[in-house]
Structures are given as C-alpha cells and as structure tokens.
Amino acid sequence: MEGDPTLQLRVFDLNCWAIRYLSKRRQERIQLIGDMLRQERFDLVLLQEVWSEQDYNDLKAKLGGCYPFSHYFRSGVIGSGLCVFSRFTILDTLLYQYSLNGYPYMLQHGDWFCGKSVGLVIIKISGIIFNVYVTHLHAEYCREKDAYLPHRLVQAWELAQFIRHTSKAADVVLLGGDLNMHPEDVGIRLLRGWTGLRDAFAEAKHFEGCKDGCTLIPSNCFTIKTELLPFPLGIRIDYILYKAISSFTVKCEELRTTTGSAPGMDIPFSDHEAVMATLHIRRQGEAASATLSTAELALVDVVTEARTEVGVGLRAAQRQRYSTGRLAVLALLLLLLQAAAVLGTLAGLGGQPFPKLSFSLLAFLAIGILLLATGLHLFHTIEVKMLQGTEEQMRMVLRALQERPSDG
Amino acid sequence: MEGDPTLQLRVFDLNCWAIRYLSKRRQERIQLIGDMLRQERFDLVLLQEVWSEQDYNDLKAKLGGCYPFSHYFRSGVIGSGLCVFSRFTILDTLLYQYSLNGYPYMLQHGDWFCGKSVGLVIIKISGIIFNVYVTHLHAEYCREKDAYLPHRLVQAWELAQFIRHTSKAADVVLLGGDLNMHPEDVGIRLLRGWTGLRDAFAEAKHFEGCKDGCTLIPSNCFTIKTELLPFPLGIRIDYILYKAISSFTVKCEELRTTTGSAPGMDIPFSDHEAVMATLHIRRQGEAASATLSTAELALVDVVTEARTEVGVGLRAAQRQRYSTGRLAVLALLLLLLQAAAVLGTLAGLGGQPFPKLSFSLLAFLAIGILLLATGLHLFHTIEVKMLQGTEEQMRMVLRALQERPSDG
C-alpha cells in the first residue's frame, strides 16, 4: 500500500450477544461470525459482548490466518466483552473502565458486573497511526423513564475525555461499538461534539442495509419485539465514528449493515446488526480539525444539556445515599436496643425474658439490613462522587469554551 | 517568562496524611501546610491523602490568591485523596482508577476503599505543555511478606501505560506522589524503564534534606518507629519524576526535603516529608528520548522480573478464587440439605423434628457464609482477570522489545 496516496480500510463492528447460557444459539452464531469474518477479510474487526474468553479463543484460532493480531480486554467480574481482530500489528493497548456503570443490586440488568470499559488499540498502516477504540455503554432498559441516563452520560463523557487525551499522537481516530444511544440523544451529541468524531452513517457516499441504518430491527428473530414497538423501523445504536487528527482526511466511501438473517442462513449473527464501513484515508495539507471551532456554540449547548442530566442523576443519588444511610442507622439502633434488652435481662432488671427464636431472628434481620444498607450507602457515596466529578469537569469545559475567543 | 530561554519551575509534593478522625492534629497541620504553601509560592503543588473534601476546600480558600487554579480528584468511597494547586491555568484533567487496589475485607488496610488512582492535569507555561501526574500507590504493610506486591506492580504498570498513552502531545511530563516503593524496587524500575522518567533526587545538582532523600524518617514524631527499625535512616517512597518528550530538556537544579518538624513549629507537616524540586526547562534541538533505546536491555529484565511477580500474585489469586468458590458451594449444599430435611419432616418421613433454634441459627450461618464466600469469589475473579490482563500486556511488550532491531 506504500506509495498509494489513498489508503482503503474496511472496518467491521458487531455486538455479538454472546452471553453464556443465556444467548440463543450462541456457539452456532460465533461459528457463523468466524466463518464470515474469515471470508470477508476486513482490515479491522471490533466486537462487543464476547463475554466468554473461550469464544474469543475459538475465534482467534479460526481467524489466526487472516487476522494475525488480536486483543481481548479483561475487566470486571464477567469481563468487558470487548475484543479486536486486526490484519495489522497491534502496537499497544490500554483499557479504561468507566467509573459508573449501573447498580450491583440490579441483577436483572447485569451491566454492573461487566465492568463496562473502552479499549484502545494502536495500529500503524503505511506509516499512518490509527487509534482504534471499541466500547459498549450501559444499556437503556426503559426509554420513557431511563434511570441509567446519568450513568450513560458519565460514560459518554469519560469516553470522550479518554479519546481526547490518548489520541494526540494519532493520525486517525476510529471508534466502533454499541453506544446504546439513538443518533439524536444528548450523550452521542456530547461525544461527537467534544471529540469532533464524525458518524460514518451520516457521511457515507453509498449506503446499503437497514432503513435509517438501524442496528436493532424488528425483523431480526432475536430482538424483543415489544421493546421495539415505538420504533417500527428499529433503532440505530451501533456506530462507527472517525476523524483525522493530523494532516489526513478520512472519507466513508461505503457503509453497510446486515439485515437480519445472514445470507443463506436461517439465523442472524446476533440480535444486533453488524456495521461495516469502507474508509478512504488520504494525506492532505490542511488539518481537518479547523471545523471544530465552528461547532463550538453547539457544543456549549450540548455540554450544558448533559450537565443538567448529570445534575438530575446527582440529586437522585444523593437521595438514595441519604435513605440507605438512614436505614443503616435505624438497623444499628434496633441492634443496640436488643443488646440493651439482653443486658437488662442478664442484670435481672427486666421482667420476662423474650421468646428466644423471635429475638434471634430479629437480630439476624437487623444485622442483614445493617450490612445491606451500609453496602448500598457506600455504593451511592461512590456514585455521588463520580457524578459530582463529572459535573465539575463539564463546568470547567463550559467556562473554557465560553472564555475562548471565537475563531469561527 | 516569555522570551527567557530557561523556564524555572518549582514543584512541591507531599503526602499530607489527612485522614479524618484518625490522623493526629490533622486540622492544625492542614493549616500549617496552607500557610507554608502561601508563603513559599511554588508553581505547582501536588498533594496526596487529602481525604476530606472540606480540607481541600479550606486549602483552596486560603491559597486562592497565589494558586488560582486547583483540582480535586474524586474516586472510590472515600476519594482518591489527590489534589493539585497551580499558579497556571489547568487546561484539562483526567482520572484513571487502578484496576486492582487491595482487598475490601482488609478493613485495617483501608486502601481498597480509597479507589487509588492517578490524576492528570494539563497546564501550559510560556507555550510549553506540561502533563502533570499525581498518584498514590497501594501501601506496603509488611516488606518481608508483601501480599500487595502484585497489586502494586499492576498499579505501577497501569501508571506507566497511562502516562505513555496520554503524554504524547506533552513537551514535559512530571509525576509526583507517594509510590510506596523504595528506589531499587522492581515497580519503580518498571515505571521508570517503561516511561523514561528520571528521578529528581538522583539527578539533582544540589540536594538539601534528609540523608539519602528519605521521606519517611524515624525522627518525624508521627512515624511508627517499629516499622522503620530495619531502616535507621528511614526510607524514600515519595518522588518527583520528570522527562522531556519533545525538543526540550529538563534539569533538576535543586531538590529539598523537609526534615521532620517544620521550622519554628513543634510538629511536622505530615508523617511523610515533603519533596521540593526546582526544575529548569530549556528548548533544545535534539529530542531527549534517544537515551531510551540504550536502556532497552535493562527494560527487558525489569519487565520480566515484574511479570514473574505478577504471575506469583496470579497463582495466589487463583487459589483464593478456588477456595472461596468451594466454600460457597459447601454452604449451598448445607442449605440444600437443611431444606431437604425440612421437606422430609413436613412429608412425615423423618423421625423427630430438629431443635428449632439451632436449626435456624445453622441456616442463617450457612446463608451468611454463602453470601460472603460468593462475594469473595467474585472479587478474586476480578483479581485473576486483571492480573492475567497485565501479564499478557507485559508479554506483548517483551515480545515487541525483543523483536525490535536494536538502535542502541
């Protein structure tokens, strides 16, 4: 490719929905994904929800010939689920775990246990340094009353900050992943505004795939139809975003998505559709980042909006911190009262002794509540701190944006 | 300072030992520290163990005049304890929380609850971009049998990786903090080898302070004398490290430490001694990073050594994961057995019913053990994953180092 003024890069992104024991026909689908990747020979493959390291190892064994380089990002109890396969040498990696990621007691929404993160791999192709990010943000379980919005916004903010701080020596930045946000949501506007990343779907010269680029569609046999009722076409929550940092330009020549069942197969690869982009990278004289300043006014608006949402989450977390703290204190008081009663009875002060079984059951109950409430209190204390920290960072950025002399 | 070819920067670093309710004469010391900082007018102040946000706010109020810019890094239940005061505008910040940091059940060693982290602030002085890092690594409670060595090594590695990935656009990198490692320890050799950072104490033209630059000394009235028995002079665990990345050179003109009690005071500022460096930064033609390649052979050795220690920690964590898992299974079996006995009695199969009190106490005990063991099992699962991840990254680096053609 050396000497060719335009570098073509084919990128594949998919949330594989490979939860052991829970995801339907997982092993079969992982095999199908492996076969397709081997056949299609992309340059770069970004996968999410590969929760089982065994599945990763199976893919690695199968893809070793055409994607000799790969990385699996470990994190949390279950893992981050993130991995990357590459035709080109992976020079370095780094994982950043988001500081907030749902609640440990929301067992039915297992996000907390996954240690949601963003993974970075650095590759160099024909002398061009690519910082490639893969991530998966907290799921949205109920769009009408989205209790996780502040957490997802903190994640979007930390993702943007991580990309900004680690990509300064890169020529091209690529981000692929399941962002769990619709294109017009405040989180994705924040991410794009603060990093300058462009949306491959919006920029693509040619598009082929689901209408509006949707990646969660009713016609996929694994999606939950009731969740998609308000969106007859489906929703777009999986993205490939990119930008050139130094004297390069990136253009999206083509964007494709899968459309439910894989060709010639009776099942789709996943409950999500894959996103496939063909990018053209070309050296040019002028840096492309100049367009950012014109968008600064819009950025002030979106950071303000995000900060408001983070503030809402902060107040909710403060309320929960208070009520769990109060519960712990009450349980402690009950225990102390019981201890006093026992001491009183032992000293011969009281009248009849209590019925032993009920008394010890009550004590155990109080201990249980004390431990649980203390744990929750500590957890919500962390939550409050992280939301406060993010709000403060956003305030700092807003001040800097407003003070900066406009160059637009 | 514009136009002056040499920029002088005075940096102050101190572990403030400001634990609410536990640290002796905390408020008095925080006041003393504030007074001294106001008087001395450093350019940059890096503090650790400022656990109470109130203490930070007090310092901020007092120092607002001479250090108009400051940042407090929030993290974990208690906080990261890290903050920075600066004479120059803080342009941006980022916090990276270490993936491993001791054990939640080691309550007497509270490290886990602190969310140990590295904080980054970016400042620009006379057009020179400084990436300033402040951190505090896991304490070493017993040097002979240091159970936390693998965790501290993972932290040293993550610190080095974080610095490498975020400092690529910086002209000068500064790191200050309590690294809880002696100068010859594998962790600090790893950190210095992998980042190219230089030790201000070793490089200083003039030094004034405790012998060997120690920062935890027996003559400080707050140190625990028995812990320092094997080291009559004390130990050096607080550092200011630096390097120039682009076409700059950094030289340490002078390094000082406090020596126990503050001048004219009856108490020291902290149980640690402060480290104060005067750095001279100058633009030059040639980048200073060329010296790194000559040190590559030594780096291979130190990464290999660190990887061995991480492997030891990994096997210990795997054993603990296994034994806690077995305990959880046993508790579950006991509960199932009890349930079967109850069902048997209800169905009229068994003979005499069990004594109710002992039976329910046993059940509660089993539930308690089950919950505890499951929690520990999950925790050690995370530990295993993070140690595995670090070991793999180190292996990747070793391979890259060994494959690279020597330019030394």
Side-chain angles (χ1 to χ4, degrees):
Chain A
M1 245 168 272
E2 204 80 59
D4 185 340
T6 300
L7 171 76
Q8 177 176 295
L9 195 78
R10 290 174 64 230
V11 185
F12 177 91
D13 170 81
L14 174 65
N15 175 330
C16 296
W17 188 48
I19 313 167
R20 255 205 292 202
Y21 315 119
L22 284 178
S23 299
K24 284 179 201 154
R25 303 175 74 174
R26 185 188 107 246
Q27 282 167 311
E28 201 181 336
R29 290 188 291 107
I30 289 289
Q31 276 195 6
L32 282 180
I33 292 171
D35 293 341
M36 178 270 298
L37 290 177
R38 193 162 58 180
Q39 202 182 322
E40 287 272 346
R41 295 180 174 267
F42 292 97
D43 295 300
L44 206 54
V45 174
L46 312 175
L47 303 180
Q48 303 97 52
E49 289 214 17
V50 182
W51 300 116
S52 149
E53 201 160 338
Q54 191 52 53
D55 285 345
Y56 166 73
N57 287 330
D58 291 349
L59 280 174
K60 193 176 168 181
K62 179 175 271 180
L63 300 176
C66 33
Y67 306 88
F69 307 97
S70 66
H71 190 76
Y72 188 69
F73 291 98
R74 291 185 183 81
S75 152
V77 181
I78 305 171
S80 72
L82 307 173
C83 61
V84 174
F85 291 90
S86 165
R87 281 221 302 132
F88 304 94
T89 316
I90 293 176
L91 298 176
D92 210 339
T93 68
L94 186 67
L95 185 75
Y96 182 93
Q97 199 169 332
Y98 299 121
S99 63
L100 283 181
N101 186 33
Y103 305 97
Y105 50 83
M106 296 303 266
L107 290 172
Q108 75 277 30
H109 306 157
D111 298 66
W112 188 82
F113 293 91
C114 311
K116 291 260 163 78
S117 311
V118 46
L120 158 65
V121 302
I122 298 182
I123 58 176
K124 198 174 183 176
I125 311 171
S126 308
I128 306 173
I129 294 174
F130 288 80
N131 269 36
V132 182
Y133 300 84
V134 57
T135 194
H136 184 188
L137 303 193
H138 197 294
E140 180 187 76
Y141 293 95
C142 169
R143 195 161 174 84
E144 286 67 48
K145 202 167 178 289
D146 182 11
Y148 299 111
L149 178 59
H151 285 211
R152 202 177 312 103
L153 272 179
V154 168
Q155 293 184 345
W157 176 257
E158 289 179 346
L159 173 60
Q161 283 286 78
F162 182 72
I163 292 175
R164 288 178 63 247
H165 281 283
T166 53
S167 64
K168 286 176 179 163
D171 296 313
V172 176
V173 171
L174 287 179
L175 165 64
D178 174 1
L179 302 182
N180 271 310
M181 300 186 284
H182 297 208
E184 74 284 0
D185 283 358
V186 56
I188 201 139
R189 283 183 285 133
L190 180 72
L191 171 68
R192 291 187 49 202
W194 192 220
T195 57
L197 285 165
R198 285 141 181 266
D199 183 350
F201 172 75
E203 308 273 332
K205 276 193 195 164
H206 307 284
F207 173 75
E208 197 185 310
C210 302
K211 184 115 174 57
D212 293 347
C214 289
T215 59
L216 214 58
I217 55 171
S219 62
N220 181 309
C221 66
F222 295 128
T223 54
I224 301 164
K225 304 298 168 286
T226 50
E227 284 181 3
L228 290 173
L229 271 186
F231 308 100
L233 288 176
I235 57 178
R236 183 158 79 93
I237 59 174
D238 299 85
Y239 297 83
I240 291 176
L241 305 174
Y242 60 80
K243 71 165 172 175
I245 287 194
S246 50
S247 52
F248 287 87
T249 51
V250 186
K251 290 213 158 37
C252 182
E253 278 300 302
E254 189 191 56
L255 192 85
R256 285 188 297 136
T257 72
T258 53
T259 51
S261 295
M265 314 287 168
D266 66 328
I267 52 164
F269 294 122
S270 166
D271 61 346
H272 286 244
E273 302 307 318
V275 184
M276 292 157 281
T278 303
L279 305 176
H280 282 189
I281 295 111
R282 183 191 279 268
R283 190 181 290 274
Q284 67 153 26
E286 183 81 17
S289 65
T291 54
L292 199 64
S293 66
T294 58
E296 260 173 26
L297 266 180
L299 183 58
V300 169
D301 285 346
V302 72
V303 176
T304 307
E305 189 180 341
R307 205 187 132 204
T308 309
E309 290 294 350
V310 169
V312 170
L314 175 60
R315 282 183 292 283
Q318 280 168 331
R319 276 194 302 274
Q320 280 174 304
R321 181 178 62 170
Y322 172 74
S323 58
T324 49
R326 196 178 49 182
L327 193 64
V329 169
L330 287 177
L332 188 67
L333 281 179
L334 179 62
L335 275 175
L336 290 175
L337 216 74
Q338 284 199 292
V342 168
L343 286 176
T345 313
L346 287 178
L349 292 177
Q352 287 185 339
F354 302 90
K356 269 185 194 157
L357 180 64
S358 321
F359 195 82
S360 43
L361 279 181
L362 189 64
F364 271 110
L365 198 71
I367 291 173
I369 292 176
L370 177 62
L371 289 178
L372 195 73
T374 308
L376 288 177
H377 181 71
L378 290 181
F379 180 82
H380 289 299
T381 303
I382 299 179
E383 193 188 10
V384 165
K385 270 183 201 294
M386 301 327 295
L387 288 167
Q388 274 174 340
T390 307
E391 209 199 8
E392 197 168 284
Q393 272 191 50
M394 288 176 170
R395 197 169 51 223
M396 195 169 87
V397 165
L398 279 175
R399 204 177 40 218
L401 282 174
Q402 279 155 349
E403 277 173 7
R404 200 186 296 181
S406 171
D407 14 58
Chain B
M1 244 169 274
E2 203 81 58
D4 185 342
T6 300
L7 171 76
Q8 176 175 294
L9 195 78
R10 292 173 63 230
V11 185
F12 176 92
D13 171 81
L14 174 65
N15 176 330
C16 296
W17 188 50
I19 313 167
R20 256 205 291 202
Y21 315 120
L22 284 177
S23 299
K24 286 178 199 152
R25 303 175 74 172
R26 186 188 105 245
Q27 282 167 312
E28 201 181 336
R29 290 187 293 103
I30 290 287
Q31 276 195 6
L32 282 180
I33 292 170
D35 292 340
M36 178 269 298
L37 290 177
R38 195 163 55 180
Q39 201 182 322
E40 287 271 349
R41 292 178 175 268
F42 292 97
D43 294 300
L44 207 54
V45 174
L46 312 174
L47 303 180
Q48 304 98 52
E49 289 215 16
V50 181
W51 299 116
S52 147
E53 202 161 335
Q54 190 52 52
D55 286 345
Y56 166 73
N57 287 330
D58 291 348
L59 279 173
K60 194 175 167 182
K62 179 176 271 180
L63 300 175
C66 33
Y67 305 89
F69 306 98
S70 67
H71 190 77
Y72 187 70
F73 290 99
R74 291 185 183 81
S75 153
V77 181
I78 305 173
S80 72
L82 307 171
C83 61
V84 173
F85 290 90
S86 165
R87 282 220 301 132
F88 304 95
T89 316
I90 294 177
L91 298 175
D92 210 339
T93 68
L94 187 66
L95 185 76
Y96 182 93
Q97 198 168 335
Y98 299 123
S99 62
L100 283 180
N101 185 33
Y103 304 98
Y105 50 83
M106 297 301 266
L107 289 173
Q108 76 276 33
H109 305 157
D111 298 66
W112 188 82
F113 293 92
C114 310
K116 291 261 163 75
S117 311
V118 46
L120 158 64
V121 302
I122 299 182
I123 57 176
K124 197 175 184 177
I125 311 172
S126 309
I128 307 172
I129 294 174
F130 287 81
N131 269 35
V132 181
Y133 300 84
V134 57
T135 194
H136 185 188
L137 303 194
H138 197 292
E140 180 187 75
Y141 293 96
C142 168
R143 195 159 176 85
E144 287 67 48
K145 200 166 179 290
D146 182 13
Y148 299 110
L149 178 59
H151 285 211
R152 202 178 311 103
L153 272 178
V154 169
Q155 293 184 345
W157 176 258
E158 289 179 348
L159 172 59
Q161 283 286 78
F162 182 72
I163 292 175
R164 288 178 64 248
H165 280 283
T166 52
S167 64
K168 285 175 179 162
D171 297 312
V172 175
V173 171
L174 287 179
L175 166 63
D178 174 1
L179 302 182
N180 271 309
M181 299 187 283
H182 297 208
E184 74 283 3
D185 283 359
V186 56
I188 202 143
R189 284 183 285 131
L190 180 73
L191 171 67
R192 291 189 48 202
W194 192 222
T195 57
L197 284 167
R198 287 142 180 264
D199 183 350
F201 172 75
E203 308 272 333
K205 275 194 195 164
H206 307 285
F207 174 73
E208 197 186 310
C210 301
K211 184 120 175 53
D212 293 348
C214 290
T215 58
L216 214 58
I217 56 171
S219 62
N220 181 308
C221 66
F222 294 128
T223 54
I224 300 164
K225 304 298 169 285
T226 50
E227 283 182 3
L228 290 173
L229 271 186
F231 308 100
L233 289 176
I235 56 178
R236 183 156 78 94
I237 59 175
D238 299 85
Y239 297 84
I240 291 176
L241 305 174
Y242 60 80
K243 72 165 173 174
I245 288 193
S246 52
S247 52
F248 287 87
T249 52
V250 186
K251 288 209 160 39
C252 182
E253 279 301 304
E254 189 191 56
L255 193 84
R256 287 188 295 136
T257 73
T258 52
T259 52
S261 293
M265 313 287 167
D266 65 329
I267 52 165
F269 293 122
S270 165
D271 61 345
H272 285 244
E273 301 307 318
V275 184
M276 292 157 282
T278 304
L279 305 175
H280 281 189
I281 295 111
R282 186 190 277 270
R283 191 182 289 273
Q284 67 154 26
E286 183 82 15
S289 65
T291 54
L292 198 65
S293 65
T294 59
E296 260 174 27
L297 267 181
L299 183 59
V300 169
D301 286 345
V302 72
V303 176
T304 308
E305 190 180 340
R307 205 187 131 204
T308 310
E309 290 293 350
V310 169
V312 171
L314 175 60
R315 282 183 292 283
Q318 279 168 332
R319 278 195 300 276
Q320 282 175 300
R321 181 180 60 169
Y322 173 74
S323 59
T324 48
R326 196 178 50 184
L327 192 64
V329 170
L330 287 177
L332 188 67
L333 282 179
L334 179 62
L335 274 176
L336 290 176
L337 218 72
Q338 284 198 293
V342 168
L343 286 177
T345 314
L346 286 178
L349 292 176
Q352 287 184 336
F354 303 91
K356 269 185 195 159
L357 181 64
S358 322
F359 195 83
S360 44
L361 279 180
L362 188 66
F364 271 109
L365 197 71
I367 292 174
I369 292 176
L370 178 62
L371 289 178
L372 195 72
T374 308
L376 288 177
H377 181 73
L378 291 181
F379 181 82
H380 289 298
T381 303
I382 299 180
E383 193 187 10
V384 165
K385 270 182 202 291
M386 299 329 293
L387 287 166
Q388 274 175 340
T390 306
E391 208 196 11
E392 198 168 283
Q393 271 192 48
M394 287 177 171
R395 196 166 57 223
M396 196 169 87
V397 166
L398 278 175
R399 202 175 46 218
L401 282 174
Q402 278 154 351
E403 276 173 7
R404 199 187 296 182
S406 168
D407 13 57

